[in-house]
Amino acid sequence: MVSIKDLAKHLDISIGTVSRALNDKPDVNKQTREKVLQAADNLGYVANQSGRSLRQGTTNAIGFLIESGADTEGNSDNFFMGVIDGLQSELSKHKLDLLVLPCSTDENPENYVKRMVARQLVDGMIISATHTIDKRIDFLSKSKLPFVALGQSETGKNHPWIDLDFEGVARVSIDRFVKNGHRRIAIALSANELNLGSIFLKSYKDSLKRHNIEFSPELVLQANSNDKGGYAIADELLNLNDRPTAILLVHELMAHGLYRRLAEDGLVVGRDLAVIGFRNSAQARMFSPSLTSFKLSLRDLGIALAASLLSTMPAYQKHYSGKMLSQIWPMEIVDGESDAEKIPKNLT
Amino acid sequence: MVSIKDLAKHLDISIGTVSRALNDKPDVNKQTREKVLQAADNLGYVANQSGRSLRQGTTNAIGFLIESGADTEGNSDNFFMGVIDGLQSELSKHKLDLLVLPCSTDENPENYVKRMVARQLVDGMIISATHTIDKRIDFLSKSKLPFVALGQSETGKNHPWIDLDFEGVARVSIDRFVKNGHRRIAIALSANELNLGSIFLKSYKDSLKRHNIEFSPELVLQANSNDKGGYAIADELLNLNDRPTAILLVHELMAHGLYRRLAEDGLVVGRDLAVIGFRNSAQARMFSPSLTSFKLSLRDLGIALAASLLSTMPAYQKHYSGKMLSQIWPMEIVDGESDAEKIPKNLT
DNA sequence: TATAGTATCGTAAACGTTTACGGAAATTAG
DNA sequence: CTAATTTCCGTAAACGTTTACGATACTATA
């Protein structure tokens, strides 16, 4: 590895000048700067990040905290890949690299964050999969590290966050169901403690109240966000005395199992049960009948997350004067056939 | 941030002793070591990675190179998440952290690798999505950084790699088709340049030859590894004069579209067309009729990758004496209904 | 007791940067 | 022509570690 010292020796100038030339500092002659850059290119010099970090306490990297594990509910590769693409697109403008930090299923998330912060390998963090009570946020708030959360939390809101508009998804869905004549509407929540569950539930209840529909606890179902979970939910639903005529799926990966279980009884989605799912992922576009869902640009979301984070970091603030720090991320509904039938039927 | 210097001052001993105590070096009294560890815990000391890296040229981290992008073909299930989980499980045994390094779609993969190597933030790398001609492998081979590739490449084999047994998948599938009476067998390849395509094709051809079946170029189809691609392939297939009675899908995400397109013509998978897919992902377990496929434990794969990498790194070799460096990763077939019908029918 | 050996610790250099400071040379002002 | 200013560059310290080396005190050996 060629160091700045090698460069200096090769050019017969001091390492200070070399450093200044490489970093576009003012106090250096134009010709010598040219020579330095030329030589750096020739010898294949590239700054050692450890040395730089040690000196100026900065790493030129941003961390994206995710939870790994093959059976991670809801958060498929797809979701993260899209967001990552957006993040990089924005971060690369500032020559910042993105490090994805996967918290193993074996490790306590709070511990993991502590370790990663202590490692000092990033200048800022984006955390995902926020829980209603999220100790990571507590810790990060106390630490000096800038961060932004994908998802709100009850733990504290004195930090930038971007949250998908789950409230809107539930509201729009229920309103649509009601408009089409449904009065008995179920909701399928995920079986983990992610904060989005409580937001969904609250919005669901509020919407029912707005339409003067009584809340029935038995219509709030909970299962894993996958095929099996959807199957279980459909099963539970079919066993109810007073069956619902519509259901909102908090994660549409459940839809597969739901379609499957209904088909077993000769029931068809859209005719016998109205379904709206969240969110319009690639996999979910191939249901038959097609699933009414909500559109979400993961790339744009990633870009917004990066912008939000950078606008809290002094070194980058100038580029993000007018940007919002925190925001609710709106999503549009995409019409499908799964809630097309206007006249509600009972599952008989 | 509390440094080793603070610790030393607090305990009124030298920083050298503190360092030795923290790192389990022999030349330190048992009691002082206790005191140091105690104090480190109390003051919340954690080693600064930059300082350490700078001094000993090691980072205690391993990089996992992936390709980001929302529309990354093929890997839209939880492929990476599963592998990551396995990697971490093995790496954590040696107190190594895993950094996932996503190469943006905007950036040249070779450039990206160079940047990441130069950054010196990992002690070793695992690269994925190897292409038939892969310049990253060229570069890494020349550099001193240990690495292992997930997937073979023609670029060079003088490095550890683990490749899924695509040859076996094709062979077993074709044999099974033939055994059930099929003679006109198609194969659906992915539309990118990943190396697995050529392996699949070769094995497909060899298997046909073994059964004295003439190779028909029109039965080799190519499309994106997703719903749309599967639809296109089914479409193309239905337009053939002499239709195949069986098809092997290199990526089963195509299956959705294929089922859909066939259903449009009233055709049923398993009866009118035998289908085998690769690989048995969570999403793919919910086809109806269920898809015959190949089982793959992503976690175990990740563990093997980590073991292979570590066994090339002097510091960790002692733990991996007898392990294989490179290997073909075997997979078992999982019976489904999609190729159940033994009597071949023509699609008429 | 003298000597060799051992256990424990402090000192200081080194890793590769960045940057405050000062000095020399060159330019401009008077 | 001198003085003031600017331009450019070298020097050296600092960031937080690890580790080779040497020093000291203690223990065992003869």
Side-chain angles (χ1 to χ4, degrees):
Chain A
M1 276 294 168
V2 36
S3 78
I4 210 174
K5 211 180 287 182
D6 302 321
L7 262 188
K9 201 176 298 172
H10 178 256
L11 292 168
D12 200 37
I13 56 180
S14 79
I15 63 173
T17 306
V18 175
S19 175
R20 280 189 295 266
L22 292 171
N23 294 16
D24 263 342
K25 289 293 160 74
D27 281 12
V28 47
N29 182 289
K30 209 166 182 187
Q31 297 171 30
T32 53
R33 162 170 297 137
E34 276 305 321
K35 280 198 301 185
V36 171
L37 293 179
Q38 184 67 40
D41 203 39
N42 285 343
L43 305 191
Y45 167 82
V46 45
N48 177 302
Q49 189 60 43
S50 296
R52 176 176 286 170
S53 296
L54 186 56
R55 168 63 214 229
Q56 50 185 19
T58 202
T59 67
N60 295 319
I62 298 295
F64 182 30
L65 229 77
I66 66 174
E67 300 194 351
S68 80
D71 53 350
T72 317
E73 302 299 336
N75 296 318
S76 62
D77 275 13
N78 243 346
F79 185 85
F80 285 129
M81 289 295 176
V83 175
I84 286 172
D85 207 40
L87 287 174
Q88 269 177 327
S89 158
E90 189 64 25
L91 293 176
S92 66
K93 290 184 189 170
H94 308 279
K95 294 187 184 297
L96 286 167
D97 278 320
L98 181 69
L99 305 182
V100 180
L101 309 176
C103 175
S104 156
T105 44
D106 305 329
E107 187 166 9
N108 176 299
E110 191 190 358
N111 261 352
Y112 185 73
V113 172
K114 283 186 182 171
R115 269 216 345 269
M116 288 304 133
V117 170
R119 247 177 167 291
Q120 294 176 231
L121 42 75
V122 294
D123 296 336
M125 272 197 185
I126 296 138
I127 70 175
S128 62
T130 49
H131 288 63
T132 308
I133 304 293
D134 204 315
K135 291 194 168 183
R136 300 177 303 172
I137 292 180
D138 258 342
F139 174 76
L140 286 172
S141 298
K142 276 177 211 152
S143 88
K144 282 297 167 197
L145 198 73
F147 74 103
V148 55
L150 173 50
Q152 292 179 76
S153 145
E154 295 298 327
T155 304
K157 295 227 184 347
N158 290 333
H159 61 86
W161 50 262
I162 294 184
D163 205 2
L164 303 184
D165 185 15
F166 301 119
E167 190 278 332
V169 167
R171 179 170 35 78
V172 167
S173 299
I174 307 298
D175 285 1
R176 185 159 163 147
F177 282 144
V178 173
K179 191 174 145 211
N180 286 354
H182 297 271
R183 303 287 295 173
R184 196 148 173 81
I185 302 166
I187 185 169
L189 300 174
S190 178
N192 54 33
E193 298 160 11
L194 293 185
N195 193 43
L196 66 92
S198 55
I199 297 179
F200 256 112
L201 188 57
K202 182 175 182 327
S203 177
Y204 166 76
K205 285 182 181 174
D206 290 349
S207 298
L208 290 184
K209 189 173 289 176
R210 204 159 8 86
H211 294 292
N212 293 315
I213 301 177
E214 199 183 350
F215 170 72
S216 311
E218 75 266 22
L219 293 185
V220 177
L221 308 173
Q222 222 172 357
N224 291 333
S225 312
N226 55 24
D227 178 62
K228 231 182 259 177
Y231 189 94
I233 277 184
D235 205 57
E236 192 171 343
L237 184 148
L238 290 172
N239 281 329
L240 287 176
N241 286 330
D242 191 3
R243 292 173 176 173
T245 62
I247 186 167
L248 168 62
L249 302 178
V250 166
H251 202 102
E252 66 191 11
L253 284 183
M254 295 178 181
H256 276 118
L258 183 118
Y259 276 61
R260 198 154 52 85
R261 179 64 187 86
L262 289 183
E264 285 180 9
D265 283 16
L267 299 170
V268 173
V269 167
R271 189 192 64 191
D272 303 306
L273 177 68
V275 179
I276 297 182
F278 170 80
R279 65 180 180 85
N280 193 249
S281 63
Q283 286 102 321
R285 271 178 223 128
M286 46 206 174
F287 287 100
S288 169
S290 63
L291 185 64
T292 298
S293 186
F294 287 82
K295 188 164 53 179
L296 168 61
S297 164
L298 298 173
R299 192 168 202 278
D300 291 343
L301 178 61
I303 291 175
L305 278 167
S308 174
L309 174 64
L310 293 178
S311 66
T312 69
M313 299 170 63
Y316 305 95
Q317 261 165 0
K318 55 179 180 232
H319 304 279
Y320 298 93
S321 53
K323 297 292 170 90
M324 270 181 300
L325 274 186
S326 301
Q327 62 176 304
I328 300 283
W329 192 265
M331 286 166 294
E332 262 178 57
I333 197 164
V334 179
D335 289 338
E337 304 155 352
S338 63
D339 73 325
E341 194 79 33
K342 297 234 191 308
I343 305 114
K345 309 247 169 112
N346 263 328
L347 299 171
T348 47
Chain B
M1 275 295 168
V2 36
S3 77
I4 209 174
K5 212 179 284 181
D6 302 322
L7 263 188
K9 202 176 297 172
H10 179 255
L11 292 168
D12 201 38
I13 56 180
S14 79
I15 62 174
T17 305
V18 175
S19 174
R20 280 189 295 265
L22 292 171
N23 294 15
D24 264 342
K25 290 293 162 73
D27 281 13
V28 48
N29 183 289
K30 209 168 182 185
Q31 297 171 31
T32 54
R33 164 171 295 138
E34 276 305 321
K35 281 198 301 184
V36 170
L37 293 179
Q38 185 68 40
D41 202 40
N42 285 343
L43 305 191
Y45 167 82
V46 46
N48 176 301
Q49 189 58 45
S50 297
R52 176 176 287 170
S53 296
L54 187 57
R55 168 62 213 228
Q56 51 184 21
T58 203
T59 68
N60 295 319
I62 298 295
F64 183 30
L65 228 74
I66 66 175
E67 300 195 350
S68 81
D71 54 350
T72 317
E73 300 300 337
N75 293 320
S76 49
D77 47 41
N78 278 356
F79 186 86
F80 285 131
M81 288 296 176
V83 175
I84 286 172
D85 207 40
L87 287 173
Q88 268 177 328
S89 159
E90 188 65 25
L91 293 176
S92 67
K93 289 184 189 168
H94 308 280
K95 295 188 184 297
L96 286 167
D97 278 320
L98 181 69
L99 306 182
V100 179
L101 309 176
C103 175
S104 156
T105 45
D106 305 330
E107 188 167 6
N108 175 299
E110 192 190 357
N111 261 352
Y112 185 73
V113 173
K114 283 185 183 173
R115 269 215 347 269
M116 288 305 133
V117 170
R119 249 179 165 291
Q120 293 177 232
L121 42 74
V122 294
D123 296 336
M125 272 197 186
I126 296 138
I127 69 175
S128 63
T130 48
H131 288 64
T132 309
I133 303 294
D134 204 315
K135 290 194 166 183
R136 300 177 302 173
I137 292 180
D138 258 343
F139 174 75
L140 285 171
S141 297
K142 276 177 212 153
S143 86
K144 281 297 166 198
L145 199 74
F147 74 101
V148 55
L150 172 49
Q152 293 180 74
S153 144
E154 296 298 327
T155 304
K157 294 226 184 349
N158 290 333
H159 60 87
W161 50 262
I162 294 184
D163 204 1
L164 303 185
D165 185 16
F166 300 120
E167 190 278 331
V169 167
R171 179 170 36 79
V172 169
S173 299
I174 306 299
D175 285 0
R176 184 157 164 149
F177 281 144
V178 172
K179 192 175 145 208
N180 285 354
H182 297 270
R183 301 287 296 174
R184 196 149 172 80
I185 303 165
I187 185 169
L189 300 173
S190 179
N192 54 32
E193 299 160 7
L194 293 185
N195 194 43
L196 66 93
S198 54
I199 298 179
F200 255 113
L201 189 56
K202 181 175 183 325
S203 177
Y204 167 76
K205 285 183 182 174
D206 290 350
S207 297
L208 290 185
K209 188 172 290 175
R210 204 160 8 87
H211 294 292
N212 294 316
I213 301 178
E214 198 184 350
F215 170 71
S216 311
E218 75 267 21
L219 292 185
V220 177
L221 307 174
Q222 222 173 359
N224 289 334
S225 313
N226 55 24
D227 179 62
K228 231 181 260 179
Y231 189 93
I233 277 184
D235 206 56
E236 192 171 342
L237 185 147
L238 290 172
N239 281 327
L240 287 176
N241 286 330
D242 192 4
R243 292 173 175 173
T245 62
I247 186 168
L248 168 61
L249 302 177
V250 165
H251 201 102
E252 67 192 8
L253 285 182
M254 293 179 182
H256 274 119
L258 185 117
Y259 276 61
R260 198 154 52 84
R261 178 65 187 86
L262 290 182
E264 285 181 8
D265 283 15
L267 299 170
V268 174
V269 166
R271 190 193 63 192
D272 302 306
L273 178 68
V275 179
I276 297 182
F278 172 79
R279 67 178 181 85
N280 194 249
S281 64
Q283 284 100 323
R285 271 176 224 131
M286 45 208 175
F287 287 100
S288 169
S290 64
L291 185 64
T292 299
S293 187
F294 287 82
K295 188 163 55 178
L296 167 62
S297 164
L298 297 173
R299 193 168 201 277
D300 290 343
L301 178 60
I303 291 175
L305 277 167
S308 174
L309 175 64
L310 293 178
S311 66
T312 70
M313 298 170 62
Y316 304 94
Q317 260 164 3
K318 56 180 180 232
H319 303 279
Y320 298 93
S321 53
K323 297 294 169 90
M324 269 180 299
L325 274 186
S326 302
Q327 61 176 306
I328 299 284
W329 193 264
M331 287 166 292
E332 261 179 56
I333 198 164
V334 180
D335 289 336
E337 305 155 351
S338 63
D339 72 325
E341 194 78 34
K342 298 235 191 307
I343 303 115
K345 308 251 170 108
N346 264 327
L347 299 171
T348 47

